[in-house]
C-alpha cells in the first residue's frame, strides 16, 4: 500500500503559514506577552498577605463556606512556605488568561452548535479529534509558530481547554425545555431575546460546569507546557522529573493541586449562586395561577 505523506503535508502547511503570516504570529505573541505581564503584575506586585486575603474574600463570596476560607488561607500560606508563591502566581496567570480565552471562543461556538444542526455536525467531530489528540501534540505547532517561552504554553493551553466549553454550552442550551422557548416566541420575543433571556439563563449550570472543566484542563495542560519554557509550577514539576528530585516534584504538584481545588470550588460556587438567585424569580413568573375555589350555591 502506498504511503500517505500526511507529515509532509503538515510540514508544508506550517511552512506556508510561517512564510506568509509570520508577522501575524509575532503580533499575537507580543499581545499575549503584554497581557500576561499585566495580569502577573496585578497578582504578584501586592504583598502575598494581601493577595491571600483577596482570595479568601473571593472564596467566601463564591461559596459562603468558612471551611473553604480556612482552606484558602492555610493552603496558600503553605505555598508561600514552600517558596513557590512566584511560580504559583505565574501558573495562575497563564491559567486565567487561557481559560478566559477558551471560554470566549468556546461558549459562542456552543451556542452556534446548539442553534444550528449543520454547525453542530461540523463542530462535533472536530471536538472529538481535539479531545483524543495526545496533549503533547498541542505543543508542537505552538513552538513552531511562537518559539520557546510562556506564549506557546498559553496558546496550547487555550486550544486544549476549548472543547468542554463548546460541548457543555451546546448541551445546556439543547436541554432547555422546548415549551418554554415556544412560549417565549409566542409572546413576541425575538431569537436574540430568547437566547439572552431564556436559553442562556436556564443553561447557566451547564455552562458554568463547562467553565469549571476549562479551568481544570488548563491547569493540567499548563504543567505540561512547562516543558517548552512556560515557567511557573510546570517548570518546577518538570525539573523534579528530569532531575529525579522527588521532593521538588511533589511540592510543585501539591501547589498545582491547591490551585485546582481553590479554582474548582470558587467557580462551582459562583455558578450555583447565580443559578439560585435566578431560580426563584423565574419560578415565580412561570408558576401557574391557582383557580378560585368553588363557592356553594
Amino acid at each position: 500500500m502506498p504511503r500517505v505523506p500526511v507529515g509532509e503535508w503538515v510540514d508544508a502547511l506550517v511552512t506556508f503559514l510561517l512564510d506568509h503570516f509570520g508577522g501575524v504570529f509575532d503580533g499575537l505573541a507580543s499581545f499575549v506577552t503584554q497581557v500576561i505581564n499585566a495580569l502577573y503584575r496585578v497578582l504578584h506586585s501586592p504583598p502575598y498577605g494581601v493577595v491571600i486575603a483577596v482570595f479568601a474574600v473571593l472564596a467566601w463570596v463564591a461559596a459562603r463556606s468558612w471551611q473553604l476560607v480556612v482552606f484558602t488561607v492555610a493552603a496558600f500560606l503553605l505555598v508561600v512556605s514552600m517558596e513557590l508563591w512566584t511560580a504559583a502566581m505565574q501558573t495562575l496567570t497563564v491559567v486565567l488568561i487561557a481559560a478566559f480565552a477558551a471560554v470566549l471562543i468556546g461558549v459562542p461556538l456552543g451556542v452556534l452548535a446548539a442553534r444550528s444542526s449543520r454547525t453542530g455536525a461540523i463542530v462535533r467531530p472536530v471536538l472529538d479529534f481535539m479531545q483524543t489528540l495526545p496533549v503533547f501534540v498541542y505543543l508542537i505547532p505552538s513552538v513552531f509558530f511562537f518559539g520557546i517561552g510562556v506564549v506557546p504554553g498559553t496558546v496550547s493551553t487555550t486550544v486544549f481547554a476549548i472543547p468542554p466549553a463548546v460541548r457543555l454550552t451546546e448541551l445546556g442550551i439543547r436541554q432547555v425545555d422546548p415549551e418554554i422557548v415556544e412560549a417565549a416566541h409566542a409572546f413576541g420575543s425575538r431569537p436574540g431575546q430568547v437566547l439572552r433571556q431564556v436559553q442562556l439563563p436556564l443553561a447557566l449550570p451547564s455552562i458554568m460546569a463547562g467553565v469549571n472543566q476549562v479551568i481544570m484542563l488548563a491547569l493540567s495542560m499548563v504543567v505540561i507546557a512547562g516543558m517548552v519554557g512556560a515557567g511557573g509550577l510546570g517548570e518546577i514539576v518538570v525539573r523534579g522529573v528530569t532531575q529525579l528530585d522527588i521532593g521538588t516534584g511533589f511540592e510543585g504538584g501539591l501547589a498545582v493541586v491547591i490551585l485546582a481545588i481553590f479554582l474548582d470550588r470558587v467557580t462551582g460556587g459562583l455558578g450555583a449562586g447565580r443559578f439560585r438567585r435566578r431560580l426563584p424569580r423565574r419560578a415565580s413568573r412561570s408558576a401557574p395561577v391557582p383557580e378560585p375555589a368553588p363557592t356553594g350555591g
Side-chain angles (χ1 to χ4, degrees):
M1 182 176 178
R3 180 179 181 274
V4 179
V6 177
E8 285 81 350
W9 296 342
V10 173
D11 287 339
L13 175 62
V14 170
T15 302
F16 173 82
L17 292 175
L18 288 174
D19 291 341
H20 293 81
F21 300 97
V24 175
F25 293 120
D26 292 340
L28 180 60
S30 177
F31 172 75
V32 173
T33 301
Q34 291 178 5
V35 173
I36 291 173
N37 291 336
L39 181 56
Y40 176 71
R41 283 194 295 268
V42 171
L43 292 174
H44 192 259
S45 295
Y48 65 82
V50 175
V51 179
I52 293 175
V54 172
F55 288 168
V57 172
L58 183 59
W60 173 255
V61 170
R64 300 289 179 180
S65 169
W66 63 266
Q67 293 95 333
L68 180 59
V69 173
V70 171
F71 167 80
T72 299
V73 174
F76 281 106
L77 286 176
L78 176 61
V79 172
V80 174
S81 70
M82 293 188 297
E83 299 181 351
L84 293 177
W85 178 255
T86 298
M89 292 304 100
Q90 291 173 347
T91 295
L92 182 59
T93 298
V94 173
V95 168
L96 292 178
I97 292 173
F100 177 78
V103 170
L104 201 63
I105 297 170
V107 170
L109 278 177
V111 172
L112 288 176
R115 294 168 67 87
S116 169
S117 299
R118 179 176 300 178
T119 303
I122 296 173
V123 168
R124 213 163 292 124
V126 175
L127 297 178
D128 291 338
F129 175 78
M130 292 176 66
Q131 291 186 298
T132 54
L133 194 68
V135 293
F136 290 98
V137 178
Y138 284 91
L139 299 176
I140 300 173
S142 298
V143 171
F144 271 105
F145 292 137
F146 302 105
I148 298 295
V150 68
V151 174
T154 304
V155 172
S156 59
T157 301
T158 300
V159 176
F160 179 71
I162 288 175
V166 181
R167 286 193 185 277
L168 289 172
T169 299
E170 179 186 4
L171 177 65
I173 292 178
R174 288 188 181 276
Q175 286 182 337
V176 174
D177 191 344
E179 294 183 358
I180 299 177
V181 178
E182 291 175 6
H185 284 296
F187 279 101
S189 298
R190 293 188 294 272
Q193 292 176 315
V194 174
L195 176 64
R196 294 191 305 270
Q197 300 175 9
V198 177
Q199 291 176 306
L200 286 178
L202 290 176
L204 184 62
S206 180
I207 294 173
M208 289 304 298
V211 173
N212 180 279
Q213 290 303 304
V214 165
I215 293 175
M216 295 301 103
L217 285 180
L219 262 174
S220 66
M221 183 64 183
V222 81
V223 174
I224 299 174
M227 299 180 64
V228 295
L233 296 173
E235 183 179 353
I236 303 296
V237 175
V238 170
R239 187 193 311 157
V241 172
T242 56
Q243 298 180 359
L244 298 179
D245 189 341
I246 298 176
T248 298
F250 182 83
E251 288 180 348
L254 180 60
V256 172
V257 170
I258 289 171
L259 283 178
I261 294 175
F262 171 73
L263 293 173
D264 175 72
R265 298 299 187 268
V266 168
T267 54
L270 288 174
R274 290 190 63 184
F275 181 67
R276 283 195 299 268
R277 287 194 297 271
R278 290 174 179 268
L279 185 59
R281 186 168 65 249
R282 189 185 306 116
S284 64
R285 287 201 298 264
S286 60
V289 179
E291 297 180 0
T295 57

